[in-house]
Amino acid sequence: MVSGGLSPVPEHVAIIMDGNGRWAKERGLPRTMGHTKGVDAVRQVVRAAGGCGVRYLTLFAFSSENWSRPAAEVSDLMGLLRRFIRRDLAELHKANVRIRVIGDRENLRGDVLPLLLEAEETTRLNEGLTLIIAFNYGARDEIARAMRRLAQEAASGRLDPALITPDLIAENLDTAGIPDPDLIIRTSGEERLSNFLLWQAAYSEFVFLPDYWPDFTAETFAEALKLYSGRERRFGGLSPVKTAVAG
Ligand code: FPP
């Protein structure tokens, strides 16, 4: 960290891609068309993030609560994720993108998770942008799973409860090794976190944009970074702190 001045390019940007359904509804289209167009926006933002020096990009692709949507919509979303990996993996790999998946991996049926894990494995040595796909992800669930693991370690005598620190908790979250998001963007005019990265968002800056996700472009991304660059981050202290982008 370097002190003084305004914030530079964020190292980690996380996005709640919201408004696909409303985008479609306003055009008299089925909701699935909004999701389909949303995948094009995903492609644009991955390219834009890599191009401007962002090191980590997290996308909230499917929450643990999204299973409660109508079966047909869940199936459409699974199909889109599947197609995204099948069609784009080679190009992402060539662009040196490393893929990571966060979310609960237990008791999932279907071939989406295996495909995502294959993408993770294929790209694990890449050193460019890290694209983190939040799939079957819910922050409270993530924290509960980490707590369960630590409690089991403590109960078996392998971990002294006095050694449970915020760092140890962070190391047991799905995001272990990934810096906290500097900037969280949510589209569609909604202004809430919806169980996304609750622990990691402790000092994140928030940018809420009115655009629906399918309309999100490289320009919208640049606008969010510009808003972020005007923010003064103090991390609980009195002086502004500037976080440097590594590498
Ligand atoms: C929110 O819009 C969006 C989602 C629940 C899914 C986001 C998924 C994608 C953009 C496609 C797949 C992702 C990747 C990474 C390839 P909403 O349906 O809640 O919109 P609404 O609030 O207007 O109804």
Side-chain angles (χ1 to χ4, degrees), residues 91-126:
E91 198 183 315
L92 291 168
H93 189 32
K94 209 166 118 206
N96 206 17
V97 172
R98 181 177 178 191
I99 293 175
R100 267 192 64 174
V101 181
I102 58 171
D104 189 7
R105 299 176 177 199
E106 296 296 314
N107 306 318
L108 278 177
R109 279 177 291 137
D111 56 357
V112 177
L113 184 67
L115 271 173
L116 287 170
L117 298 183
E118 183 194 322
E120 208 173 43
E121 180 56 27
T122 306
T123 61
R124 90 194 141 82
L125 297 177
N126 289 348

Side-chain angles (χ1 to χ4, degrees), residues 55-219:
R55 305 287 303 153
Y56 299 86
L57 176 69
T58 301
L59 299 178
F60 204 177
F62 194 86
S63 79
S64 34
E65 289 76 32
N66 285 154
W67 296 108
S68 64
R69 294 191 176 204
E73 182 168 345
V74 170
S75 159
D76 286 338
L77 280 166
M78 294 301 141
L80 285 170
L81 269 162
R82 208 181 290 125
R83 274 198 294 284
F84 174 72
I85 296 298
R86 287 200 179 124
R87 284 189 194 161
D88 291 44
L89 181 59
E91 198 183 315
L92 291 168
H93 189 32
K94 209 166 118 206
N96 206 17
V97 172
R98 181 177 178 191
I99 293 175
R100 267 192 64 174
V101 181
I102 58 171
D104 189 7
R105 299 176 177 199
E106 296 296 314
N107 306 318
L108 278 177
R109 279 177 291 137
D111 56 357
V112 177
L113 184 67
L115 271 173
L116 287 170
L117 298 183
E118 183 194 322
E120 208 173 43
E121 180 56 27
T122 306
T123 61
R124 90 194 141 82
L125 297 177
N126 289 348
E127 290 172 341
L129 175 78
T130 299
L131 171 63
I132 300 138
I133 300 179
F135 176 71
N136 193 29
Y137 178 84
R140 287 181 172 177
D141 172 70
E142 176 192 34
I143 293 169
R145 283 187 282 109
M147 292 304 120
R148 225 176 286 138
R149 207 173 311 124
L150 291 175
Q152 275 157 1
E153 293 275 298
S156 68
R158 289 193 299 271
L159 172 68
D160 175 358
L163 298 179
I164 299 178
T165 59
D167 282 348
L168 186 67
I169 292 174
E171 281 164 29
N172 279 276
L173 296 174
D174 298 345
T175 49
I178 298 170
D180 288 343
D182 302 290
L183 168 63
I184 296 181
I185 301 171
R186 184 171 188 149
T187 56
S188 90
E190 307 290 346
E191 302 190 355
R192 56 180 174 271
L193 211 39
S194 300
N195 203 14
F196 186 49
L197 302 177
L198 297 182
W199 174 277
Q200 299 85 342
Y203 287 102
S204 301
E205 293 293 327
F206 292 87
V207 166
F208 299 108
L209 298 169
D211 318 59
Y212 291 145
W213 178 251
D215 289 329
F216 197 93
T217 62
E219 288 71 40

Side-chain angles (χ1 to χ4, degrees), residues 9-27:
V9 173
E11 184 178 22
H12 182 176
V13 179
I15 308 185
I16 303 173
M17 310 179 285
D18 198 9
N20 294 351
R22 277 163 286 166
W23 181 92
K25 193 170 176 215
E26 282 184 12
R27 286 159 181 78

